[in-house]
Amino acid sequence: MQVITGKTQLLGVMGHPVEHSLSPIMHNAAIAHLKLDYVYLPLSVKPEALTTAVAGFAAINLKGFNVTIPHKQAILPLLSEISPVAQAVGAVNTVWRKDNTWVGTNTDVEGFLAPLQDLNRDWSSAVVLILGNGGAARAVVAACAQLGCLRIYTIGRNYQKLQQFYASWNDADISSKLQVHSWDKLPQLIPQATLLVNTTPIGMHPHTEASPLSITEMKLLSSEAIAYDLVYTPRPTQFLQQAEKQGVMTIDGLEMLVQQGAAALKIWLQQSVPVDIMRQALQQQLIKC
């Protein structure tokens, strides 16, 4: 068992609420495996306390931290440097110290791409259909553009927010691939999809019987497509159960969670990290839940 001392280096995840986060489980499992004198903590920070908290993290020599809801965009003005991928997404999820300043990036893109890059697919002709137009959808858009997908459709229920979502992409390459559509266009768009991604929280515990799509809508999906749900509990979600009944390949959000976490830990530690240990720790925890 690790002994925490005054020499123990601090890492963490900042959000509100943050009690439910599984990040400490996978990060501390990796740290223990590597036999390093670090500890990864959940850091509950209310929106109005963000500036004070980030200054405090520097004061106590926090080595780095993850950022989750609701701070991924609000933290941007508090950083001295932001990576190009984080600028494209417009959100940061990983922060570290550099020359006594805070630097941020977004490893959600890398996390999302990891299971897709393991597949032998020609993404240059792929059509991506993204359900939702929030922060997670932004990471998926940036990832699919990086993958070289042909077209990216983002679906939402609020027309004004959809227009704002589209207008926010200054990258000409991304905006030329991107289209936004209202939810009622799903019957026309689902049959075109090579990759169908749920970025909404629909189907997440405790509302495990819910799905963003009806059974009728899911039946429109090609059997050659991939259904990807960013929700990782329950496993599988109702959305992925529907897809499996159509004979569609499915990916859940656990691998994205593992890979984005591993990418962050690699930045902080400046060494390779045991991804398998992180994945195993999460799987064991989800079995207990």
Side-chain angles (χ1 to χ4, degrees):
M1 185 175 178
Q2 183 183 8
V3 177
I4 308 296
T5 72
K7 294 181 180 179
T8 302
Q9 302 291 318
L10 303 178
L11 299 167
V13 55
M14 176 183 69
H16 186 74
V18 78
E19 294 82 5
H20 66 287
S21 176
L22 297 178
S23 292
I25 291 164
M26 65 173 172
H27 283 293
N28 286 318
I31 288 165
H33 179 81
L34 294 169
K35 296 181 171 59
L36 298 175
D37 193 11
Y38 279 77
V39 65
Y40 184 102
L41 305 166
L43 306 164
S44 181
V45 175
K46 293 180 179 179
E48 61 270 22
L50 178 62
T51 301
T52 305
V54 172
F57 294 163
I60 63 171
N61 198 30
L62 197 78
K63 293 300 178 184
F65 57 96
N66 285 128
V67 185
T68 189
I69 295 170
H71 304 307
K72 286 188 173 187
Q73 292 174 305
I75 197 172
L76 295 176
L78 304 179
L79 305 175
S80 299
E81 186 181 328
I82 301 166
S83 72
V85 68
Q87 289 176 8
V89 175
V92 158
N93 81 327
T94 301
V95 177
W96 67 99
R97 294 295 279 171
K98 177 182 175 184
D99 300 328
N100 293 317
T101 64
W102 290 119
V103 178
T105 191
N106 192 307
T107 64
D108 285 335
V109 172
E110 185 175 341
F112 176 82
L113 286 176
L116 296 177
Q117 290 171 326
D118 288 339
L119 304 176
N120 185 22
R121 297 266 181 146
D122 175 16
W123 296 104
S124 63
S125 59
V127 175
V128 184
L129 180 56
I130 302 169
L131 306 178
N133 58 300
R138 297 191 65 82
V140 174
V141 169
C144 291
Q146 189 173 313
L147 204 56
C149 297
L150 181 66
R151 291 196 302 278
I152 305 168
Y153 299 140
T154 301
I155 306 295
R157 299 188 187 277
N158 184 308
Y159 182 76
Q160 185 177 358
K161 287 183 178 179
L162 279 170
Q163 292 303 310
Q164 291 171 346
F165 184 92
Y166 180 79
S168 69
W169 292 95
N170 297 319
D171 187 307
D173 184 50
I174 293 179
S175 61
S176 67
K177 296 172 180 284
L178 180 65
Q179 295 180 24
V180 294
H181 294 278
S182 56
W183 210 264
D184 60 357
K185 295 293 193 294
L186 277 173
Q188 290 84 44
L189 298 175
I190 291 173
Q192 301 178 40
T194 311
L195 175 63
L196 173 66
V197 186
N198 176 38
T199 71
T200 78
I202 299 171
M204 186 182 291
H205 183 81
H207 305 292
T208 56
E209 296 305 310
S211 169
L213 296 187
S214 68
I215 294 172
T216 302
E217 288 168 333
M218 187 64 82
K219 285 182 177 178
L220 298 172
L221 188 64
S222 165
S223 61
E224 300 300 312
I226 299 169
Y228 195 146
D229 197 341
L230 302 197
V231 177
Y232 53 82
T233 178
R235 303 184 75 198
T237 59
Q238 191 66 28
F239 173 78
L240 293 185
Q241 288 181 50
Q242 290 172 340
E244 285 171 353
K245 288 177 182 175
Q246 296 303 115
V248 171
M249 179 182 178
T250 61
I251 302 170
D252 70 21
L254 186 72
E255 192 62 19
M256 178 177 175
L257 179 65
V258 170
Q259 295 290 348
Q260 65 79 26
L265 193 58
K266 191 174 180 180
I267 290 170
W268 298 323
L269 301 180
Q270 289 294 293
Q271 66 177 84
S272 60
V273 299
V275 179
D276 289 346
I277 296 295
M278 298 174 79
R279 184 185 299 110
Q280 185 180 349
L282 285 183
Q283 290 171 337
Q284 289 175 349
Q285 180 62 27
L286 290 172
I287 290 170
K288 295 176 187 176
C289 294

